[in-house]
């Protein structure tokens, strides 16, 4: 057991070191810049003392279920052919989220294979399992990495293999040109608006929402001229308009990118697509299809 575990750990270290050679993304810049021996030492450090060991049991359980789910898949991601047909109609039981009036969600999930739970917990009823999960410690306290490189290495060792294969990749996401492509040819189009001087994407409203202690607030507005060139970014947290010749220009672009990602994920994708559109269609199909 001990020897086998050691071999597996060394294999993961070697795999992580090899993967780092191919990284070319914004968040991994500090990791890629390290000498090969330092990268190997960092991989061994993370593998033997990962910060993920410090998270609560509820989070560890969720991670375990994700690992089991990913490893059980026959394909890396589902295509149209892999999506199952709706289950027979029936009256559903619902969960009503606190703080969201008129929102209800079915307790069952036709895309979730209940056999996955048996692989983790054995033959246990769903009600008993939910009661058990509710008793697990669930603490939302910040756990900080000692460096950006450590955070990037933790992702490579513990999460990279769980990610689906991307349909599109980007060589870089830091330059002014990349911001312009995101705004006019990418996800930013959902928020793009014209103004008297050209164009803008205004995400300042996100600054109204609180964040966890120690975190910088979201919120930024990017301005583009009539030729679609990025001119400046107003950051809500500092109440400052930042231009390309300012020392904090790179940080301002980062604030805008993160605000855009959060708004798309939390607002458009999660709330509008999942909670409203998909949820309504799912309920209608499960309770009324075939009548």
């Amino acid at each position: 057991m001990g020897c086998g575990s050691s071999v597996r750990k060394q294999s993961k270290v070697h795999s992580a070191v090899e993967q780092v050679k191919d990284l070319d993304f914004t968040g991994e810049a500090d990791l890629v810049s390290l000498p090969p021996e330092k990268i190997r030492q960092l991989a061994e450090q993370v593998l033997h003392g990962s910060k993920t060991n410090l998270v609560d049991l509820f989070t560890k359980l969720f991670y375990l279920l994700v690992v089991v789910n990913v490893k059980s898949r026959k394909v890396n991601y589902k295509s149209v052919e892999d999506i199952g047909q709706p289950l027979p109609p029936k009256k559903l039981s619902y969960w009503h989220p606190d703080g969201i009036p008129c929102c209800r969600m079915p307790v069952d999930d036709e895309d979730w294979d209940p056999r996955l739970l048996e692989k983790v917990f054995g033959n246990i009823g769903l009600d008993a399992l939910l009661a058990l999960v509710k008793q697990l410690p669930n603490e939302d306290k910040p756990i900080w990495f000692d460096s950006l490189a450590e955070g990037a290495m933790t992702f490579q060792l513990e999460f990279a293999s769980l990610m689906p294969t991307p349909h599109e990749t980007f060589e870089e996401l830091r330059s002014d040109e990349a911001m312009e492509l995101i705004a006019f040819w990418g996800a930013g189009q959902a928020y793009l608006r014209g103004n008297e001087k050209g164009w803008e994407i205004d995400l300042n409203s996100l600054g109204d929402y609180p964040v966890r202690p120690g975190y910088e607030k979201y919120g930024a507005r990017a301005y583009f001229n009539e030729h679609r060139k990025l001119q400046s970014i107003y950051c809500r947290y500092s109440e400052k308009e930042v231009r390309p010749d300012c020392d904090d220009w790179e940080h301002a672009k980062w604030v805008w990118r993160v605000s855009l990602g959060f708004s798309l994920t939390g607002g458009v994708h999660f709330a509008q697509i999942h909670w409203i559109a998909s949820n309504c269609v799912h309920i209608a199909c499960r309770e009324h299809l075939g009548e």
Side-chain angles (χ1 to χ4, degrees):
M1 173 83 75
C3 292
S5 175
S6 177
V7 170
R8 286 194 297 272
K9 287 185 176 180
Q10 289 303 314
S11 177
K12 291 187 70 173
V13 168
H14 177 75
S15 176
V17 172
E18 291 300 310
Q19 290 172 5
V20 167
K21 296 178 182 178
D22 298 325
L23 293 179
D24 190 25
F25 302 106
T26 303
E28 287 82 10
D30 286 16
L31 181 58
V32 176
S33 65
L34 294 176
E37 185 57 31
K38 289 289 186 182
I39 294 176
R40 178 173 293 278
Q41 292 175 2
L42 183 59
E44 293 177 346
Q45 171 192 327
V46 170
L47 199 60
H48 290 87
S50 174
K51 291 291 194 302
T52 58
N53 294 332
L54 304 177
V55 302
D56 56 72
L57 286 177
F58 188 94
T59 304
K60 288 180 179 177
L61 172 61
F62 185 81
Y63 175 79
L64 176 61
L65 291 175
V66 171
V67 171
V68 173
N69 185 27
V70 170
K71 289 184 177 181
S72 69
R73 294 177 183 173
K74 297 180 180 179
V75 293
N76 188 258
Y77 58 89
K78 285 187 176 182
S79 63
V80 174
E81 293 78 13
D82 300 310
I83 298 176
Q85 295 297 315
L87 297 178
K90 71 172 187 178
K91 289 297 180 182
L92 301 173
S93 298
Y94 292 97
W95 168 57
H96 298 269
D98 295 335
I100 309 176
C102 303
C103 183
R104 59 175 185 165
M105 301 178 190
V107 173
D108 64 50
D109 185 346
E110 60 185 10
D111 289 324
W112 177 266
D113 187 350
R115 291 173 297 181
L116 295 176
L117 297 177
E118 295 181 6
K119 293 180 180 180
V120 178
F121 300 101
N123 189 15
I124 181 174
L126 180 59
D127 292 339
L129 175 60
L130 292 177
L132 170 64
V133 169
K134 289 180 179 179
Q135 299 303 313
L136 294 178
N138 183 5
E139 302 172 357
D140 188 22
K141 62 180 181 180
I143 299 173
W144 304 100
F145 293 110
D146 295 334
S147 66
L148 292 175
E150 182 193 4
M153 179 58 76
T154 301
F155 175 84
Q156 290 301 316
L157 284 170
E158 303 195 30
F159 297 95
S161 63
L162 306 177
M163 298 293 105
T165 302
H167 292 288
E168 301 285 349
T169 56
F170 299 88
E171 293 184 0
E172 58 88 18
L173 294 172
R174 302 183 67 174
S175 68
D176 295 6
E177 291 75 17
M179 304 300 97
E180 294 156 5
L181 290 173
I182 291 172
F184 291 93
W185 302 100
Q189 294 178 81
Y191 299 96
L192 189 63
R193 299 291 184 271
N195 59 30
E196 64 278 4
K197 295 182 179 180
W199 307 86
E200 67 178 46
I201 293 180
D202 186 359
L203 303 166
N204 271 329
S205 60
L206 296 179
D208 295 336
Y209 299 104
V211 296
R212 288 166 52 172
Y215 282 79
E216 189 174 290
K217 281 193 173 185
Y218 297 99
R221 178 192 290 135
Y223 296 97
F224 305 85
N225 65 17
E226 67 273 18
H227 304 295
R228 302 179 181 179
K229 297 298 181 182
L230 181 60
Q231 300 298 292
S232 66
I233 296 175
Y234 176 85
C235 292
R236 173 73 182 273
Y237 79 97
S238 63
E239 298 183 347
K240 176 183 176 182
E241 187 166 352
V242 185
R243 299 185 181 278
D245 57 350
C246 296
D247 292 338
D248 49 354
W249 177 238
E250 292 300 321
H251 181 70
K253 290 190 292 184
W254 177 82
V255 173
W256 181 77
R257 287 196 306 270
V258 172
S259 297
L260 177 63
F262 173 73
S263 185
L264 285 166
T265 304
V268 176
H269 183 87
F270 186 53
Q272 296 180 16
I273 294 178
H274 281 280
W275 277 6
I276 299 175
S278 297
N279 194 37
C280 290
V281 172
H282 177 248
I283 292 173
C285 288
R286 291 299 309 279
E287 289 201 336
H288 302 289
L289 189 65
E291 291 185 356

